[in-house]
Amino acid sequence: QVTLKESGPGILQPSQTLSLTCTFSGFSLSTYGMGVGWIRQPSGKGLEWLANIWWDDDKYYNPSLKNRLTISKDTSNNQAFLKITNVDTADTATYYCARIVNYGTPFDYWGQGVMVTVSS
Amino acid sequence: DVVMTQTPVSLPVSLGGQASISCRSSQSLVHSNGNTYLHWYLQKPGQSPQLLIYRVSNRFSGVPDRFSGSGSGTDFTLKISRVEPEDLGDYYCLQSTHFRTFGGGTKLELK
């Protein structure tokens, strides 16, 4: 059974760095073809893809946010991470992590999401 | 960057009726390997998105055959026949040929 769960700080101030953790089970990021992606959704708005990391440590970022994003993984502990630097109120959203099986395939299993608020 | 345009933004339907959602991309979604990476999701209120259709027309595990996807190149359609109450929510297309981009969403609601 594949499960993913996101965790984060809940609230942070503008200009700080947002650190998110995705803890998953039912698959391994050391398995050929596996990947984890991060997606966010401001309240009442649509979905925005942020970044993917793959079994071989290959990484892809949304070009519009690339300078602020860093994705990484800890294979032994079944975790993936996302950092967003210099946050502002526009980064207030629910952040999801999701599994990908092979390049090009969709996000098939999603976490429940974690809400992050940026406020002074 | 690939832009995904979904229409309509809102789609009122009657239970038992049919719904059709369009997704258009700003460039072809045919990958160099010949595959077309266009997928569809449903997000019910208060829930995470759930995968319905992958690679244009393939239903994900457990998805009823009331859902069907079609299209090619830059134009794609999701059809829902015999709409049931659990089908209501926000629908999104996703392209994963050129990085990843979601469409803006279509809200399926009762007429």
Side-chain angles (χ1 to χ4, degrees), chain A residues 67-118:
Chain A
N67 291 342
R68 299 175 52 215
L69 301 178
T70 303
I71 193 169
S72 60
K73 62 182 173 68
D74 178 350
T75 302
S76 58
N77 286 310
N78 284 342
Q79 292 181 315
F81 310 97
L82 183 70
K83 289 188 189 299
I84 306 178
T85 60
N86 193 27
V87 298
D88 68 9
T89 54
D91 296 308
T92 294
T94 296
Y95 286 78
Y96 297 98
C97 63
R99 188 184 78 160
I100 326 164
V101 179
N102 232 332
Y103 292 95
T105 59
F107 305 108
D108 58 356
Y109 291 92
W110 294 58
Q112 64 191 26
V114 61
M115 190 171 293
V116 174
T117 301
V118 179

Side-chain angles (χ1 to χ4, degrees), chain B residues 51-102:
Chain B
L51 179 62
L52 296 173
I53 301 284
Y54 64 95
R55 279 194 284 117
V56 182
S57 60
N58 300 279
R59 279 186 298 276
F60 189 56
S61 175
V63 175
D65 60 8
R66 300 182 290 101
F67 292 89
S68 63
S70 63
S72 62
T74 60
D75 285 352
F76 303 90
T77 302
L78 175 71
K79 287 197 169 118
I80 312 158
S81 60
R82 307 181 304 279
V83 171
E84 298 189 4
E86 59 264 32
D87 301 337
L88 303 179
D90 296 323
Y91 287 80
Y92 295 93
C93 58
L94 165 70
Q95 71 81 19
S96 54
T97 298
H98 313 283
F99 292 110
R100 288 171 187 246
T101 317
F102 287 95

Side-chain angles (χ1 to χ4, degrees), chain A residues 2 9 12 15 21-22 24 29-30 32 34 40 43-46 54 76 90 103 105 110 118-119:
Chain A
V2 174
L12 68 167
S15 81
T21 300
C22 174
F24 54 86
L29 262 179
S30 62
Y32 179 90
M34 286 294 177
R40 71 180 178 182
S43 180
K45 297 190 178 180
W54 295 96
S76 58
Y103 292 95
T105 59
W110 294 58
V118 179
S119 174

